[in-house]
Amino acid sequence: MATISGTRATNAFGRTQQATNWGTCVPTVPTYVNLISQDNDWHSLRLGLAGQTQLTERLSLSGDVAFLFTRLDGKDQHHMRPKIKLIPEDGDGHGVQLEAVLGRGE
């Protein structure tokens, strides 16, 4: 069993038009102005089993299986757009991880 938790905070500063539509990012915003903040908290749990067996004198089989459960609690904030102050970005996920190795000895 393994539990994993993490926090990631990202910020975007400044704005300059790079493509051909020059009307999109007018006026340019200086690089010291924080435009977007993104804060994410990840929480994950991994439960699994691993095993190995000798099939013959020169052939072995090993493998593991794990069940994964993940939760995201996130917040997205666009500082220059007052109508969308804090946007919650939440989600849950689960899955299965499988691995098997058939090996032979020489």
Side-chain angles (χ1 to χ4, degrees), residues 73-86:
D73 296 314
K75 293 172 199 67
D76 184 23
Q77 184 170 7
H78 295 240
H79 301 289
M80 302 290 281
R81 298 174 71 186
K83 290 186 178 182
I84 53 173
K85 282 295 186 191
L86 280 175

Side-chain angles (χ1 to χ4, degrees), residues 15-67:
R15 177 181 71 196
T16 302
Q17 182 63 36
Q18 299 293 322
T20 58
N21 186 359
W22 294 103
T24 302
C25 291
V26 176
T28 298
V29 177
T31 57
Y32 60 82
V33 177
N34 186 2
L35 296 175
I36 299 172
S37 296
Q38 178 76 38
D39 294 313
N40 292 329
D41 291 321
W42 290 93
H43 308 281
S44 299
L45 175 66
R46 182 178 186 266
L47 300 170
L49 299 169
Q52 180 176 349
T53 187
Q54 195 71 31
L55 299 174
T56 66
E57 184 179 309
R58 296 178 60 188
L59 193 61
S60 66
L61 177 65
S62 63
D64 63 65
V65 60
F67 298 95

